[in-house]
Amino acid sequence: MHVFSDPANRAVYLSSFLLILKLTGAAGVIALVFGVVLAAMRVSPVPVLRGFGTAWVNVFRNTPLTLIIFFCYFGLFVNLGVTYSDDDIDLNNFWLGVTGLAAYTAAFVCETVRSGINTVPAGQADAARALGMTFGQTLRLVVLPQATRSVVAPFGSILIALAKNATIVGTIGVLESASVMRQLINDNGDAVIPIFLVFAGTFVALLVPTGYLFGWLAKRLAVRR
Amino acid sequence: MRLSRTLAVLTGLALALGFSGACGGGSGGGSGGSGPAQTGVVGKAQQSRKLVIGVKADQPGLGLQTGSRYEGFDIEIAKIVAKDLGVDESGIEWKTTTTPNREAFIQQGTVDLVVATYTINDERKKKVSFAGPYYVAGQDLLVKTDNADITGPEALDGKKVCSVTGSTPAKRIQTEHPKAHLQLFDAYSKCVEALGQGSVDAVTTDDIILAGYAAQPQFAGKFKVVGKPFSTEPYGIGLKKGDKSSCEKINAILTAAASDGRYKAAWDATLGRSGKPAPTLDTSKLTSCE
């Protein structure tokens, strides 16, 4: 364990997991909001919106995340000039990574919410319409609150997957845990297995409680019918 | 009836193969089987006429895999060494190694030799033995051909420099030139792509690797290596720790290859295409194999 007794190594190890948490947090919030919007589009009566939602899900859900992240750097930033920070490379790369992660994860959030919408009995929407509610009101006040509460547990799975997917942002230069693990292994060829176990163990330690938390939330928030 | 005919054909084939195999072994044994039975890599090469050699698969000009073929300067050097140990090209099994697994592969016996841009340093010497160096590289910078303001590492302040996550060159930039903005990727090919697109100003790693990228046909004339190396990276041939006789034998092979022109031919066929003239192998710098 001589690798982690070196304070410099401990610092990069801790900062790498802090970055994972930041990436997960930022991308998670954006993906949640945008994914619900996408789901609303996919069930809306407007064909253009439905088409957009379907296209988004099919494109991003079926493209490997490494390619999406690659595109965020070489497509969005290098060729299209989408820049989050001119003078801070790390900040720029971080948000390019968040963009890719959020675009990808939103597709999964959208499909999860849509499956949640199917759990709401059709009579609920009929009743709302009978009361004179518009489509927006029906969705916002009646359907979505029930739909999202029924898919809390799958949201937990998406969040866990997102946290692990965040390591892919390392490929465009964000020093998250997988990159730092590679660096430590490169510097300490004699301690490959211990380093690997520490990084894998940290992920498990962070994500197992997340799974239980969402399981507990799912039970608490379930709609009783 | 049909079965017995198939059997006859198979038996014939097996006989023919066995025969040719025996002939090949016999003729090879005549040329290299002098002296008492050897141990280590030399012994294995003499007895089995086969070697497993670890090489890089993603370094243009040095060790690059295209399909099932490997090509590059490391590969040519490995072929020279294998040939003089009595192993033909068909007897070499190439194995892709990466930077972190080279020591483990040698220690576990997964490979007999490693010729993979393998810098000799004290930490690695604790785990493996090195023959060579067959080339002395140095960290350098690759820039666009028309770039005039990056003349060396001291001109990097405020510039965007690209390297690979976790690599020694990246670390050196971080510690010795902290004012440079470091962009990291997981592969040099991405750095070179970013340099071509203009999102980074320079790519840094060993000069020989940079020359390999500059020599790729799709980048011809677009990039230049600055040519002011700021580190010393002697590339050695890694083998099992303590295999002193094999190490000395390999050093003798390298010395011979340098004097009879095979070393230069290997260079000209690979990295020489970048326009860089062949280096001279400094035989006085060869390791003592301790």
Side-chain angles (χ1 to χ4, degrees), chain A residues 8-73:
Chain A
N9 287 349
R10 256 206 313 261
V12 290
Y13 159 76
L14 287 176
S15 75
S16 75
F17 274 99
L18 193 65
L19 264 172
I20 289 286
L21 294 182
K22 281 184 186 166
L23 283 165
T24 310
V29 169
I30 297 170
L32 181 64
V33 173
F34 187 53
V36 171
V37 172
L38 277 175
M41 285 180 177
R42 286 203 76 172
V43 297
S44 78
V46 186
V48 177
L49 293 182
R50 274 208 307 274
F52 177 81
T54 311
W56 187 284
V57 168
N58 282 333
V59 168
F60 283 94
R61 195 176 53 173
N62 298 315
T63 307
L65 183 57
T66 30
L67 293 188
I68 294 177
I69 300 291
F70 183 83
F71 174 79
C72 283
Y73 188 90

Side-chain angles (χ1 to χ4, degrees), chain A residues 78-79 93 171-173 186-187, chain B residues 99 165-166 171 183-185 197:
Chain A
V78 175
N79 281 316
N93 290 342
T171 56
I172 57 167
N186 196 19
D187 294 348
Chain B
T99 298
T165 313
K171 214 173 186 181
Q183 166 70 47
L184 295 168
F185 285 117
Q197 302 269 8

Side-chain angles (χ1 to χ4, degrees), chain A residues 70 73-74 77-79 86-87 89-90 93 170-173 175 179 182-183 185-187 189-190 192, chain B residues 99-100 103 123-124 127 160 164-168 171 174 181-186 190 193-194 197 199-200:
Chain A
F70 183 83
Y73 188 90
F74 283 98
F77 169 58
V78 175
N79 281 316
D86 274 321
D87 42 50
I89 289 191
D90 294 335
N93 290 342
T171 56
I172 57 167
L175 280 177
S179 310
R182 231 171 80 157
Q183 190 176 324
I185 285 178
N186 196 19
D187 294 348
D190 55 333
V192 175
Chain B
T99 298
E103 284 98 46
E123 201 180 324
R124 286 172 181 162
K127 290 167 217 148
K160 290 176 181 164
V164 160
T165 313
S167 66
T168 318
K171 214 173 186 181
Q174 273 168 336
H181 299 300
L182 187 61
Q183 166 70 47
L184 295 168
F185 285 117
D186 55 337
K190 283 188 185 171
E193 176 69 22
Q197 302 269 8
S199 70
V200 299

